[in-house]
Amino acid sequence: RLAQLQAQQGQIPSEAIIDGICILVGGIFLLAPGFLTDIIGLFMLIPQTRGTAKALLQKLFHRMIQNGSFIFISRR
């Protein structure tokens, strides 16, 4: 809910959500076969190197929010 409020107000989603996305994507890359995907997966799982991926995701989210292409669907 906090991420929804932040996106509706034009703010970038919080660090915890971006960390979760990086960990999820890193795990998926580790499950995929291949040497390159393993390197990318480890890169996204190690906290010291995850900062680079988080910065890229923050820029992507900021651009999507400004363009209006980032949409939350709320079911009640």
Side-chain angles (χ1 to χ4, degrees), residues 28-74:
I28 291 171
F29 273 108
L30 280 176
L31 289 175
F35 183 70
L36 185 61
T37 58
D38 288 345
I39 291 173
I40 293 170
L42 284 174
F43 179 79
M44 295 188 81
L45 289 179
I46 299 172
Q48 290 82 7
T49 58
R50 192 181 315 142
T52 305
K54 284 174 27 179
L56 292 172
L57 279 174
Q58 284 180 337
K59 286 181 184 178
L60 177 68
F61 283 140
H62 185 65
R63 203 173 309 135
M64 289 173 70
I65 289 171
Q66 284 182 342
N67 292 340
S69 61
F70 197 79
I71 299 171
F72 282 105
I73 298 174
S74 176

Side-chain angles (χ1 to χ4, degrees), residues 8-27:
Q8 288 173 352
Q9 294 174 358
Q11 298 174 355
I12 299 172
S14 67
E15 293 288 321
I17 290 177
I18 295 176
D19 269 336
I21 291 171
C22 287
I23 291 170
L24 175 70
V25 171

